[in-house]
Amino acid sequence: MNVATRSLEQIRADFPILQRRVRDNKPLVYLDNAATTQKPQSVIEALTRFYSHYNSNIHRGVHALSEAATEAYETARKKVQTFLNAAHSHEIIFTRGTTESINLVALSFGSRFLEDGDEVLLTQMEHHANIVPWQLLQRFKNIKIKVIPITEEGTLDLNALDTLLTEKTRLLAFTHVSNALGTVNPVKKLIRWAKENGLYVLVDGAQAVPHLPVDVQDLQVDFYVFSGHKIYGPTGIGVLYGKTELLEAMPPYQGGGDMIKRVTFEKTLFNDLPMKFEAGTPNIAGAIGLGAAIDYIQQVGYDFIQQQEQQLLDHATRLLSEIPEIKIIGTAKEKAAVVSFVCEGVHPHDIGTLLDLEGVAVRAGHHCAQPVMDFYGLSATVRASFAFYNTMEEVEYFVQALKKAIRFFKR
Ligand code: PMP
């Protein structure tokens, strides 16, 4: 056994759920990591420790537990700051997840920085979470949504950028990595183009941070958002990174406790960053769990993550390409460890169901990216998405199970 294999085994042992058996005692082969990742013991323990040792509300109490909870919550914020290399910890706003972060920006930034007639540039490969909030903003502001098209391989058609740009374009909001296709977008190039043209930029990092390191200062991005549960942390916690000068100029998104300095019935003075955007009791345990997840990722290291995931992606792509009935959707050169595919004559949901009977968890559906499906004239795909804890043997088992499913439907 070589060192790499041994360390992968040790890594897998960190995730209790990976030892589970499902469907008539079959080993769980979890290939639905783009939907949510599994949690290492250290994250589970961080949650348990919070609730069993120092559960308390934050920023308010003068007692020992509240002090400990506040410190742990604010330490988690600092961990996110370091993780993204943000200039200040007050630029890190805790939210419920990517979805809430984008809704916050659309409504708050939109109300302050966008005017009737302004244009927002999205892409054809956005998750619904980066489409619908901008449509909701249209109830209050007469903004126009424009869309950067994609090519057959599932990359952005960058030739269209200059054609789409007008003097009314204000914001470019796009996904760093596509959840439906796996495409890694040329984030630096897009931000440089946007900045050269005076645009604000929001990047949806939900599918990027699990796979690659992000440095918001190096990117010079205005807003960067992600979800805790996709990077081995808890559900219900996420992050909005925003540049200080923008967050300071933006109005609060929600009102309530913690986001104020002084309230009277006549007038309310809002709190400073980051509290201005964290109304009410936040997901304290979730933030602490996210901090533990970041510690875990840093311990594993992106070098290992990228090397392992690239091997899994290459192996899966090669084996799937050898099956005549399979067509891979999304063949960009730069891809994260996500393979979407369709199978001639078999509905994706039927494939998903048969794979599940073999213990293989994949996703079948539109992946909350219906415009991507529309582009390919499909209603759904099967999506296998890998994490660094997956093995080459699991990839092979999945492909065998898929071949068995195809044989079943061809009978
Ligand atoms: N954007 C992308 C690219 C995603 O993959 C997802 C989750 N599938 C989201 C946004 C929404 O994330 P959440 O549901 O955690 O808010």
Side-chain angles (χ1 to χ4, degrees):
M1 202 186 289
N2 66 30
V3 176
T5 320
R6 200 165 61 238
S7 67
L8 182 58
E9 271 182 17
Q10 283 167 350
I11 283 169
R12 284 180 68 80
D14 294 337
F15 293 80
I17 213 168
L18 297 181
Q19 330 303 325
R20 256 208 71 173
R21 292 184 165 256
V22 290
R23 304 287 181 216
D24 288 335
N25 213 26
K26 302 219 170 56
L28 169 69
V29 174
Y30 187 76
L31 305 182
D32 196 16
N33 294 286
T36 200
T37 50
Q38 299 302 347
K39 319 305 170 198
Q41 190 62 37
S42 60
V43 168
I44 298 166
E45 275 168 16
L47 299 176
T48 310
R49 212 162 39 242
F50 171 71
Y51 284 120
S52 53
H53 285 281
Y54 59 104
N55 170 53
S56 174
N57 214 325
I58 53 166
H59 295 150
R60 299 167 198 188
V62 288
H63 54 81
L65 297 190
S66 180
E67 225 172 79
T70 305
E71 192 185 323
Y73 183 77
E74 291 305 328
T75 300
R77 196 190 307 280
K78 291 210 177 72
K79 284 180 186 175
V80 178
Q81 179 199 350
T82 309
F83 183 59
L84 293 180
N85 192 32
H88 308 282
S89 65
H90 65 239
E91 295 181 318
I92 305 301
I93 312 292
F94 284 125
T95 64
R96 277 196 303 124
T98 304
T99 302
E100 190 177 47
S101 298
I102 300 177
N103 275 275
L104 189 165
V105 174
L107 229 64
S108 171
F109 168 87
S111 71
R112 169 72 177 71
F113 286 88
L114 299 180
E115 299 301 335
D116 287 349
D118 281 351
E119 295 173 0
V120 168
L121 211 46
L122 307 179
T123 85
Q124 179 88 28
M125 66 169 82
E126 294 314 305
H127 186 280
H128 298 163
N130 195 27
I131 300 174
V132 186
W134 303 106
Q135 292 173 334
L136 292 179
L137 178 63
Q138 287 176 320
R139 291 183 301 182
F140 311 106
K141 294 264 171 158
N142 189 19
I143 58 157
K144 192 163 170 190
I145 292 171
K146 287 180 139 184
V147 182
I148 302 169
I150 56 176
T151 64
E152 194 57 34
E153 306 86 67
T155 55
L156 292 179
D157 180 2
L158 300 182
N159 294 326
L161 288 180
D162 289 329
T163 328
L164 288 163
L165 187 76
T166 73
E167 74 280 6
K168 290 283 187 191
T169 317
R170 289 283 168 273
L171 173 81
L172 169 65
F174 68 97
T175 193
H176 192 160
V177 173
S178 158
N179 69 315
L181 303 166
T183 312
V184 180
N185 283 319
V187 67
K188 274 192 129 169
K189 198 168 169 177
L190 282 160
I191 294 172
R192 201 179 323 119
W193 174 84
K195 289 294 157 196
E196 277 165 12
N197 290 289
L199 312 186
Y200 295 104
V201 184
L202 177 144
V203 175
D204 172 353
Q207 296 293 343
V209 284
H211 308 294
L212 46 96
V214 169
D215 179 332
V216 290
Q217 292 190 80
D218 181 49
L219 289 177
Q220 295 185 31
V221 66
D222 296 306
F223 301 106
Y224 196 94
V225 301
F226 71 89
S227 298
H229 71 98
K230 293 192 200 273
I231 58 160
Y232 314 97
T235 52
I237 187 77
V239 167
L240 160 64
Y241 157 80
K243 279 188 187 154
T244 302
E245 60 271 26
L246 290 175
L247 292 177
E248 271 177 350
M250 284 159 51
Y253 166 63
Q254 293 182 333
D258 255 20
M259 54 74 73
I260 53 86
K261 275 186 176 155
R262 171 90 180 104
V263 177
T264 65
F265 281 108
E266 288 69 41
K267 188 176 160 57
T268 288
L269 198 59
F270 303 133
N271 210 338
D272 297 327
L273 294 175
M275 259 94 90
K276 183 172 88 174
F277 290 108
E278 293 182 4
T281 302
N283 185 352
I284 306 164
I288 294 167
L290 173 58
I294 288 174
D295 288 343
Y296 185 81
I297 288 178
Q298 276 161 350
Q299 183 205 318
V300 174
Y302 276 111
D303 284 349
F304 177 83
I305 292 174
Q306 289 186 307
Q307 190 196 337
Q308 174 69 5
E309 290 183 353
Q310 188 64 47
Q311 282 179 12
L312 295 164
L313 175 67
D314 290 347
H315 198 41
T317 306
R318 198 173 327 112
L319 293 180
L320 289 173
S321 307
E322 288 166 4
I323 307 175
E325 292 85 354
I326 297 292
K327 181 173 185 229
I328 295 177
I329 306 296
T331 51
K333 261 204 227 80
E334 294 286 321
K335 273 183 74 169
V338 171
V339 193
S340 250
F341 62 90
V342 286
C343 178
E344 197 188 299
V346 191
H347 194 280
H349 284 117
D350 293 334
I351 298 268
T353 304
L354 285 202
L355 288 177
D356 173 55
L357 290 177
E358 302 296 325
V360 180
V362 294
R363 181 136 301 222
H366 53 61
H367 317 296
C368 297
Q370 284 179 332
V372 175
M373 300 296 123
D374 291 344
F375 174 80
Y376 290 101
L378 300 167
S379 61
T381 68
V382 183
R383 182 186 69 187
S385 51
F386 306 96
F388 58 81
Y389 48 54
N390 289 125
T391 66
M392 302 295 254
E393 291 74 26
E394 284 182 316
V395 171
E396 283 154 20
Y397 182 85
F398 148 63
V399 173
Q400 286 311 316
L402 177 63
K403 285 182 176 165
K404 189 169 158 190
I406 295 171
R407 279 199 302 275
F408 175 83
F409 283 108
K410 282 198 126 183
R411 272 195 320 212

